Amino acid sequence: QMPRGNLETIHHRALVLAQLRKWLDDLKFRDAFECMRKLRINLNLIYDHNPSVFLGNVETFLKQIDSTNYINLFLTELKEEDTTKTMYPCPMSAACQSASGSGGGGKKKVDTVCDALRSSMETLDPQKFCLCILTSHVKKTTPELEVALQKVRELRVNPPTAKNAASAEEALKYLLFLVNVNELYEHSLGTYDFDLVLMVAEKSQKDPKEYLPFLNMLKTLEPNYQRYTIDKHLKRYKKALHHLSKCGEEHFTEALNLVKDQRLYIEAMQLYPSDSPQHKVLSVAYAEHLMEQQQAEQAGLLLWRCGEMACALQAFVSCTSWRHALAVATHIPLPPEQLAQLARDLAEKLLEVRRHTEAALLLEQYAKDCEEAISALIEGCAWEEALRLIYLYSRQDITETHLKPALLEVHSNQVAFLESQKALFTRHKNRLAVVREQKAKARLELIDEDGPDCADAELYSEASSVLTGSRIGSKYSQSNSRISTRSSKNRRKAEGKKHSLKEGSPFEDIALLHALIQIIHVVDKMREEIHSLLKALVLFQFDMLASNLQAHYSELLQLMEKGIPEIWNEGLQQGQTLITGPNSTANSIMASFQQPRPSRVHQQDAEILIPPKMRQSVKWKLCILK
Amino acid sequence: QMPRGNLETIHHRALVLAQLRKWLDDLKFRDAFECMRKLRINLNLIYDHNPSVFLGNVETFLKQIDSTNYINLFLTELKEEDTTKTMYPCPMSAACQSASGSGGGGKKKVDTVCDALRSSMETLDPQKFCLCILTSHVKKTTPELEVALQKVRELRVNPPTAKNAASAEEALKYLLFLVNVNELYEHSLGTYDFDLVLMVAEKSQKDPKEYLPFLNMLKTLEPNYQRYTIDKHLKRYKKALHHLSKCGEEHFTEALNLVKDQRLYIEAMQLYPSDSPQHKVLSVAYAEHLMEQQQAEQAGLLLWRCGEMACALQAFVSCTSWRHALAVATHIPLPPEQLAQLARDLAEKLLEVRRHTEAALLLEQYAKDCEEAISALIEGCAWEEALRLIYLYSRQDITETHLKPALLEVHSNQVAFLESQKALFTRHKNRLAVVREQKAKARLELIDEDGPDCADAELYSEASSVLTGSRIGSKYSQSNSRISTRSSKNRRKAEGKKHSLKEGSPFEDIALLHALIQIIHVVDKMREEIHSLLKALVLFQFDMLASNLQAHYSELLQLMEKGIPEIWNEGLQQGQTLITGPNSTANSIMASFQQPRPSRVHQQDAEILIPPKMRQSVKWKLCILK
């Protein structure tokens, strides 16, 4: 080798790479390989230069190289890294880019190359390439050590016939050179092949006094239990469970403990037929675990299907899965008094979460208590259903004592609520107009002055950008990095806390829009509720109250419908007039263009730019009311 | 008067107006009035110049003018028009604008001035200003002719004491000068005051042979019936009904006919006590009318509350208001067989509109047919409810014959549906990427060339503007109005028809986004349905099927969750790179800024810019499945 200077090396490499590319394109792998080896160029380039060409000509590659050592060298040097992108970027990037990345197909590069080479070698001459094949197994992302060991064992059983072929002895030595001996020992155990284990153990530095007793003990065990013991030793619990399940009933307790320890419930249940007693025990164990995990309903399903009714009922009750609970209860069957009590307990839970109609069904049909059922329905404003039960059980007295007073109370509550929503809507809407005007003014002033108070400008523009789609601050942030970082810090801080409705808060307009959307949503959602209340009021001759409520609600809906285009168009128009209006300056126009849409930081707020849609298709008005 | 030249007139008027404004500001109404009268300047200016000052100094105005004729002249010349904006715009517009519009307060200008003047005149000297007061009544937006007539009648009863005061005779003459005689006659009839009627009739050109018999006939009638007859003659039906309702039961048929003819049901029902037989007859009549108007439920409510049970039942049944129908049916009460048949009929209707759970309740509880009820629940995939009934009625046989087969069928349908949605989602998503790339390319090319094919550029930019927030076409439309009109026509046409998914359609990207949102929405909505199906499958040991379905659904949801940021951010980023990227030209940058947000025409499409939200809070997965 000649002594090399820096300059020469640099030039040399560029020329060499060009030459290598040519060779690789011409499929002259041998020339390329020799040269790369000599000049210590990473061998990955052979594949990376053009993966699909390489994969299509693996046989040519092997035939040209034709050396176990060289192939091993290539295999051991394989890395996931794409050397055409990192070490040896191609000068004509466009051409190379399209070529690379076409091979593989989701598989990792190393695995792809190993598999392709091995498959070719096994076709060409498995005996000759024996060691290379072992290397290709070991080099994979998850090394296939057991397969490699199995191949070594095969060599021992059927010694190779060819002259230069490696013996089992040589192959094992080679493997030990590639892989840590302890790892190989563990994996040899995993093949359950004691010959293999001994073969590896002998080659290792291990003390026979350590491993022989263990191996001898294992040899005395029943095959499945033996495998289970090995699997457990290797912490392969799923396999261990699989083998243990074949060891008969006397080992089931051991299996159950393993399942509980390792939470292998699902796997275990698949190993025993679903009508077996073991399956049932496992189901119960799993259900217990699920109960602890707050998955009572699924626990209930497992318990029910394996016939553990009482436990299933408990599970369903605990998660208020009332339909299942009652199905199980009648399946048991529970005596009538207990069933009624169960229904009452469940109904109470349902009432707590305002599921009145379901509670009523329980009370009516299982607790046989129509009075409580009707009372639940009235509490839940399910007027029609309450009436149905009142007449079904001929309890018209309840109409006077409960239904009518409830109607009147709900009516006055609703009217009061509508009043409050109307006041809030109007206040927010008016305040929004004021805030927008102030901001527009402040923005124009700041732009005209090109003032020193940039941080403030940023704040104003930031908030307004969401509403008008224009932003000024970025102009400053581009020219002055100190201010930019400071203001972006402010921005992050401001977004961390929820936008405040407090007067004068920098994002007050956004907070107001959020609040307005919320009010519109709440009020619009009341259509069905109001409709049902109106019908009930009319039925009991409360026409005046009904008219009054209808007028209130109708007025509020109209107010909102009229308000929506005002609230959600003003912002747009403001933005546009700002850009083209007579008060705009060259600076303001450029500033408006700086950021033509809300920045990505504001994605979360983007929805407030869309006017909310009201469900005008839901007809709630009664035409029989004035 | 001097002969006036054009030039002189123009100068003259401007000077005069300046002088008038000065006078009006100084409250020199008389000077202003005289001058305006002489130079034929519209008298409205007296008020319009500064409404609040005028309204604050009405008394000064009246005292200065001090002439019935002049005041009448002013009143008759009043118009809604604001002369400071139309005829006599103020040169210093800003100052005047702030002054005008402050008076009134929602009321119309003419009414405001009339009321203010009248109120002042009645305080100052009602006898002297008598005619002016009449004018102020007649000039109102809705002329108060009856009030004016009443005032004339008062003059006749109590002749004025003052010297110059107008007599009843004179006042009437003056009124006839202001108002059409027939109109005045009708209104005099409307006062139910025959003296007044005769007084007007005598002054009119009417033939006494025509009106006297009618008046004499009226005089013979009972007062309420007389008023009803007059009201009806004047087509004042609500008043007519009001008077007729006081005429006693013998006229009720006439009232009913009037109600039906004029659809005055609501008004009529308020005139009779709700427990009266008339009220009931009216309710029934109204209900019939409501049935014709497809408002059967409200008809039912009216019929039920007035005790017409059979009709109410019919009404409720016809609109499938089943809870009310059953309440009425048990209220009647219907014999058991009829009730069962009614329940079956209603259940059938409910099943047609896929309201299975409600149908099942009817079948179970009223038709006492648990088998049909369970079958309805199974058809509606209400697995838990079906199980509840199966165990309640100990019909476990149905589990094998119906429930399990249904579960299997629904499972395979759902899997197939999920497959199809997945395929569609992937296809649309990929196609969208292709379309976006094509458009970005086409747009850049068109901009770079600044090509002759402007209409096409408009199309590309139009569609893309929604997605990238940038628009190019408007640049052309500003500089070339011919193309602008043509393209805006195209635009309207293109928006008329729904955006097409057909490949190559100009708004294909928008159509794709709509379709993608639709798919995401449909699939996301299935969470509850899938959860319930999974539970039922597990209960019946179909663990493999359940796992399979869970895997399918989970995969699809993940695909969508991963796809959303790709679909809804690419557009934004595209827009931004276009603006600042190395491929952009000065032209393209300006064009991108031209319209920084989707134009208002695209408001309807704005929602597709917001990535749809998936309901990740709805937990549907079973942890007991692998």
Side-chain angles (χ1 to χ4, degrees), chain B residues 397-616:
Chain B
D397 58 315
I398 297 180
T399 308
E400 296 300 325
T401 56
H402 289 80
L403 184 59
K404 284 191 185 175
L407 272 178
L408 297 180
E409 196 193 330
V410 172
H411 171 269
S412 71
N413 288 346
Q414 291 289 39
V415 168
F417 181 73
L418 291 175
E419 291 279 7
S420 74
Q421 293 299 298
K422 184 181 164 189
L424 208 57
F425 181 81
T426 312
R427 205 175 72 210
H428 284 343
K429 183 167 162 278
N430 293 341
R431 175 68 193 159
L432 181 63
V434 171
V435 173
R436 279 177 170 167
E437 203 175 313
Q438 284 176 353
K439 288 209 169 170
K441 223 163 135 189
R443 202 167 48 217
L444 276 177
E445 279 168 15
L446 284 164
I447 295 163
D448 284 349
E449 291 169 8
D450 217 9
D453 207 359
C454 302
D456 272 4
E458 174 76 2
L459 251 187
Y460 279 115
S461 64
E462 181 66 21
S464 312
S465 68
V466 178
L467 309 176
T468 62
S470 62
R471 201 161 102 187
I472 304 131
S474 31
K475 180 180 127 198
Y476 300 111
S477 41
Q478 277 176 357
S479 59
N480 188 327
S481 64
R482 191 188 60 78
I483 287 171
S484 147
T485 40
R486 186 183 137 209
S487 65
S488 80
K489 231 190 245 164
N490 286 346
R491 204 181 312 154
R492 254 176 280 128
K493 208 170 134 200
E495 270 159 8
K497 56 183 170 195
K498 190 90 188 100
H499 303 317
S500 162
L501 274 171
K502 220 176 75 181
E503 285 205 6
S505 106
F507 297 100
E508 193 187 345
D509 45 0
I510 298 175
L512 284 167
L513 276 178
H514 273 300
L516 284 166
I517 289 176
Q518 182 63 19
I519 295 171
I520 291 171
H521 182 68
V522 164
V523 172
D524 189 54
K525 228 175 65 181
M526 291 169 70
R527 286 174 196 252
E528 288 85 358
E529 209 178 329
I530 297 280
H531 180 66
S532 149
L533 180 57
L534 286 175
K535 287 193 290 187
L537 285 169
V538 163
L539 186 60
F540 293 106
Q541 311 269 14
F542 297 124
D543 293 22
M544 290 304 294
L545 295 180
S547 293
N548 170 268
L549 176 62
Q550 175 155 309
H552 262 91
Y553 190 50
S554 176
E555 193 195 343
L556 183 51
L557 286 180
Q558 272 171 24
L559 184 76
M560 289 176 168
E561 271 159 32
K562 223 180 108 236
I564 287 175
E566 290 172 30
I567 296 167
W568 276 271
N569 261 351
E570 203 176 291
L572 298 178
Q573 282 164 349
Q574 220 175 47
Q576 280 167 352
T577 52
L578 180 70
I579 290 166
T580 53
N583 292 321
S584 60
T585 63
N587 273 343
S588 81
I589 293 170
M590 265 323 292
S592 302
F593 285 154
Q594 207 75 33
Q595 193 105 10
R597 54 172 55 253
S599 65
R600 280 182 71 182
V601 191
H602 290 295
Q603 198 82 28
Q604 75 217 52
D605 283 325
E607 64 206 62
I608 62 168
L609 293 174
I610 305 288
K613 270 189 188 158
M614 296 181 74
R615 298 177 304 147
Q616 269 148 343

Side-chain angles (χ1 to χ4, degrees), chain B residues 243-365:
Chain B
H243 289 124
L244 187 55
S245 74
K246 293 181 183 165
C247 297
E249 289 179 25
E250 67 272 25
H251 288 292
F252 181 67
T253 316
E254 200 171 354
L256 184 60
N257 286 332
L258 179 65
V259 168
K260 285 184 182 172
D261 281 351
Q262 301 302 326
R263 302 190 174 170
L264 294 171
Y265 300 102
I266 298 174
E267 293 79 4
M269 284 165 68
Q270 286 172 339
L271 292 172
Y272 296 89
S274 58
D275 52 356
S276 66
Q278 289 87 354
H279 194 275
K280 184 166 173 174
V281 172
L282 286 167
S283 292
V284 174
Y286 191 16
E288 277 168 15
H289 174 67
L290 286 170
M291 292 289 282
E292 283 166 17
Q293 304 285 310
Q294 316 297 329
Q295 298 288 353
E297 190 172 33
Q298 296 182 47
L301 291 173
L302 289 181
L303 291 165
W304 192 8
R305 76 178 194 181
C306 76
E308 284 289 333
M309 302 297 191
C311 295
L313 179 56
Q314 222 178 344
F316 287 133
V317 169
S318 78
C319 61
T320 330
S321 181
W322 66 271
R323 287 191 179 87
H324 279 147
L326 288 172
V328 172
T330 47
H331 192 187
I332 293 180
L334 233 52
E337 317 81 54
Q338 282 186 38
L339 187 62
Q341 190 53 47
L342 173 69
R344 281 184 190 282
D345 293 347
L346 284 169
E348 202 177 316
K349 283 182 159 201
L350 289 170
L351 285 177
E352 275 169 21
V353 290
R354 303 199 58 77
R355 288 161 68 178
H356 295 91
T357 320
E358 291 160 271
L361 190 149
L362 283 168
L363 291 167
E364 180 209 351
Q365 296 189 32

Side-chain angles (χ1 to χ4, degrees), chain A residues 390-401:
Chain A
I390 284 174
Y391 285 101
L392 183 61
Y393 295 97
S394 301
R395 288 297 304 269
Q396 279 90 328
D397 58 315
I398 297 180
T399 309
E400 296 302 324
T401 56

Side-chain angles (χ1 to χ4, degrees), chain A residues 424-468:
Chain A
L424 208 56
F425 180 81
T426 313
R427 205 175 70 211
H428 284 343
K429 181 166 162 281
N430 293 342
R431 175 67 193 160
L432 181 63
V434 171
V435 173
R436 280 177 170 166
E437 204 176 310
Q438 284 175 352
K439 288 211 168 170
K441 224 163 136 188
R443 203 167 47 216
L444 276 178
E445 279 170 14
L446 284 164
I447 295 163
D448 284 348
E449 291 169 8
D450 216 10
D453 208 357
C454 302
D456 272 4
E458 174 75 3
L459 253 187
Y460 278 115
S461 64
E462 182 65 23
S464 312
S465 69
V466 178
L467 309 174
T468 62

Side-chain angles (χ1 to χ4, degrees), chain A residues 297-298 305 323 365-366 385 388 468-469 535 538 543 569 572-573 593 596-597 600 613 623, chain B residues 297-298 305 323 365-366 385 388 468-469 535 538 543 569 572-573 593 596-597 600 607 623-624:
Chain A
E297 190 173 32
Q298 296 181 46
R305 76 178 192 181
R323 286 191 179 88
Q365 296 188 33
Y366 292 84
E385 187 73 353
R388 185 177 72 80
T468 62
K535 287 193 291 187
V538 163
D543 292 23
N569 262 349
L572 299 177
Q573 283 163 350
F593 285 152
R597 53 172 52 255
R600 281 180 71 183
K613 270 188 188 159
C623 63
Chain B
E297 190 172 33
Q298 296 182 47
R305 76 178 194 181
R323 287 191 179 87
Q365 296 189 32
Y366 291 85
E385 187 73 353
R388 185 177 72 79
T468 62
K535 287 193 290 187
V538 163
D543 293 22
N569 261 351
L572 298 178
Q573 282 164 349
F593 285 154
R597 54 172 55 253
R600 280 182 71 182
E607 64 206 62
C623 61
I624 54 176

